[in-house]
Amino acid sequence: DSGLLVYDKVSDNFNSLESRLLNSNSLSQITAAFSDRSGLVWLGHRNGDIYVYNSRTGDARKYGEKLSGEVSSFTQTPNDDIYAVTKNGDIAYLNTDSSLKNHLYLEIFCKNTSQISAAYALDDQNIWLGTTGNGLFLLDIRNGSCKQIASPMSEAGNLARANIQTIFSEPNSNITW
């Protein structure tokens, strides 16, 4: 078990990132990874810990606060706000200074969700949330309202019961997968 492996194209080698982080056993249970537009790599752990790695400087640190469960996804809005999502519905706005600015608890707003497996910031106010078994939701982060997205069976299957593992958008287009 080597933790998180980083491929160096110049040397054509894999190196372990584990030795650079505070807890040598921390990277054996990474459940989410995300590279933001500033070059920071956000790593989510099964126990709710978050680690931030600066690939340019090699600096790594444990994020200041633990989330309430397994981190399943990260997303970044066009205004560069970073959100972490846990499987049990904890949605946290992350500051780069290691403090949580805000928590939204999805279970309050969307009673019928199961585990959240994916998140994607559609714009500065809305985040798509994919679940395991309960399809797709659109969360308005301004007021915490959340709605389940349904589709007619003839168009795209039963989206309300879908297992959604990832959400992404094509660069320079209006298409989201």
Side-chain angles (χ1 to χ4, degrees), residues 139-153:
L139 172 68
D140 184 329
I141 56 179
R142 296 168 297 182
N143 61 22
S145 67
C146 189
K147 68 178 181 176
Q148 188 174 26
I149 307 301
S151 65
M153 287 292 286

Side-chain angles (χ1 to χ4, degrees), residues 62-84:
K62 186 175 177 182
Y63 193 78
E65 296 183 47
K66 182 183 281 196
L67 299 183
S68 68
E70 181 178 323
V71 179
S72 59
S73 190
F74 293 94
T75 190
Q76 184 173 22
T77 69
N79 280 344
D80 293 331
D81 295 332
I82 305 285
Y83 287 85

Side-chain angles (χ1 to χ4, degrees), residues 61-120:
R61 63 184 163 81
K62 186 175 177 182
Y63 193 78
E65 296 183 47
K66 182 183 281 196
L67 299 183
S68 68
E70 181 178 323
V71 179
S72 59
S73 190
F74 293 94
T75 190
Q76 184 173 22
T77 69
N79 280 344
D80 293 331
D81 295 332
I82 305 285
Y83 287 85
V85 178
T86 66
K87 285 192 172 189
N88 64 349
D90 187 3
I91 300 171
Y93 169 45
L94 307 176
N95 288 334
T96 55
D97 67 356
S98 293
S99 64
L100 295 177
K101 180 177 179 186
N102 191 17
H103 270 275
L104 297 171
Y105 293 92
L106 185 63
E107 61 271 18
I108 294 170
F109 309 116
C110 297
K111 299 292 185 192
N112 296 325
T113 64
S114 59
Q115 293 186 345
I116 298 173
S117 51
Y120 180 79

Side-chain angles (χ1 to χ4, degrees), residues 7-8 32 43 54 56-57 69-70 80 95 109 141 153 177:
Y7 177 71
D8 181 344
L43 303 169
N54 186 325
R56 285 180 284 234
T57 65
E70 181 178 323
D80 293 331
N95 288 334
F109 309 116
I141 56 179
M153 287 292 286
W177 296 80

Side-chain angles (χ1 to χ4, degrees), residues 2 11 17 24 39 48 55 59 61 77 82 92 95 100 107 115 129 132-133 138 142 155 173:
S2 299
S11 67
L17 179 62
S24 63
S55 58
D59 293 334
R61 63 184 163 81
T77 69
I82 305 285
N95 288 334
L100 295 177
E107 61 271 18
Q115 293 186 345
L129 298 171
T132 303
L138 186 61
R142 296 168 297 182
E155 286 183 24
S173 82

